[in-house]
Amino acid sequence: SDSQLATILALAKLAESRDDCTGRHLERVREYSRLITQAISRLTKYTRYITPAYIKDIYLSSILHDIGKVSIPDAILLKPGRLSPEEFDIIKQHTLVGGDALTAVDAELKEQSFLTLGKEIAYYHHESWDGRGYPAGLKGEQIHIFGRITAIADVFDALLHARVYKPAWGRDEVLAYIAGERGRQFDPKLTDLLLKYGNEFIAINEKFPDETPH
């Protein structure tokens, strides 16, 4: 129901507010994720199983990618400087905390829902195509397609916007970075699609600007 979906968004934003209280990162990421899933559904390899219902599911579940950040101490989550290896290891735990929480909730349900895919996203949105990501070091198509989609959407948006540890990047700088990570951090097909529809991604970014802090 609409009220259930609104509650899920509210909980996801509650987790996000710890490090981005004026942002609309979640709204942008779900729009990017839907756009790229619609684009990939038009490729022959995927048309059979990326259905409209599948596209709706990623729109709903992609907002849950960072829900595990509720477990990260402020001193690390809000640190303006470079993280130590030990601190980065703690940051990495948010994938497991979020995935485990959604797995537990999903197990209570009697049927598959967007939470079933949400747990895949929470676990695997920091995996890399070349196997150098975390938490499992998965490689290529070992990574669930939703994890791969959310990964590129998440990084694209994070680079465009200022964070406590970095300034905002310009559009051309972001697109050049994404292109440079084709086949490394990101799925080559998804990279090509993001670059092909770059103007539409930028339009989404402009449609959902961060709020001005009071």
Side-chain angles (χ1 to χ4, degrees):
S1 71
D2 289 346
S3 61
Q4 288 173 320
L5 300 181
T7 301
I8 294 295
L9 177 60
L11 290 171
K13 287 192 74 68
L14 190 62
E16 182 190 39
S17 70
R18 294 190 56 231
D19 66 333
D20 188 16
C21 62
T22 61
R24 300 181 74 187
H25 172 69
L26 295 181
E27 289 94 326
R28 291 189 296 265
V29 165
R30 71 178 179 181
E31 294 289 344
Y32 301 143
S33 296
R34 178 165 62 182
L35 176 59
I36 204 164
T37 307
Q38 287 171 332
I40 201 170
S41 74
R42 294 191 283 271
L43 301 180
T44 306
K45 179 179 176 181
Y46 298 96
T47 49
R48 189 176 301 171
Y49 73 93
I50 298 187
T51 62
Y54 206 91
I55 293 167
K56 181 180 179 182
D57 278 348
I58 195 168
Y59 179 78
L60 298 172
S61 55
S62 60
I63 62 172
L64 299 166
H65 64 279
D66 273 344
I67 203 161
K69 280 188 175 179
V70 294
S71 68
I72 308 299
D74 283 352
I76 296 174
L77 192 63
L78 304 179
K79 183 178 179 179
R82 190 176 183 85
L83 295 173
S84 70
E86 295 76 18
E87 289 169 331
F88 188 49
D89 282 342
I90 293 171
I91 286 283
K92 289 178 181 179
Q93 294 299 310
H94 82 275
T95 56
L96 299 174
V97 171
D100 287 351
L102 294 173
T103 296
V105 174
D106 186 51
E108 293 292 318
L109 302 175
K110 304 304 180 190
E111 59 185 8
Q112 181 169 311
S113 74
F114 69 92
L115 294 177
T116 309
L117 296 165
K119 68 187 181 189
E120 300 286 347
I121 291 173
Y123 278 134
Y124 303 126
H125 69 285
H126 284 293
E127 298 288 355
S128 292
W129 183 258
D130 62 7
R132 293 186 296 174
Y134 65 87
L138 301 180
K139 189 173 184 178
E141 293 192 358
Q142 292 177 334
I143 308 163
H144 193 285
I145 184 68
F146 274 19
R148 286 180 268 149
I149 290 168
T150 308
I152 198 168
D154 185 31
V155 172
F156 176 79
D157 194 67
L159 293 177
L160 276 176
H161 295 269
R163 292 289 186 266
V164 67
Y165 53 86
K166 61 167 276 297
W169 291 20
R171 166 196 170 140
D172 291 344
E173 194 177 6
V174 172
L175 293 174
Y177 176 84
I178 296 290
E181 290 297 316
R182 183 187 188 277
R184 295 166 48 134
Q185 187 173 2
F186 306 124
D187 179 329
K189 287 190 179 68
L190 300 184
T191 305
D192 293 344
L193 288 171
L194 188 149
L195 296 173
K196 179 179 179 179
Y197 296 102
N199 288 338
E200 292 182 48
F201 279 83
I202 295 298
I204 288 170
N205 179 63
E206 293 171 352
K207 183 178 177 181
F208 297 93
D210 288 340
E211 299 159 17
T212 304
H214 298 296

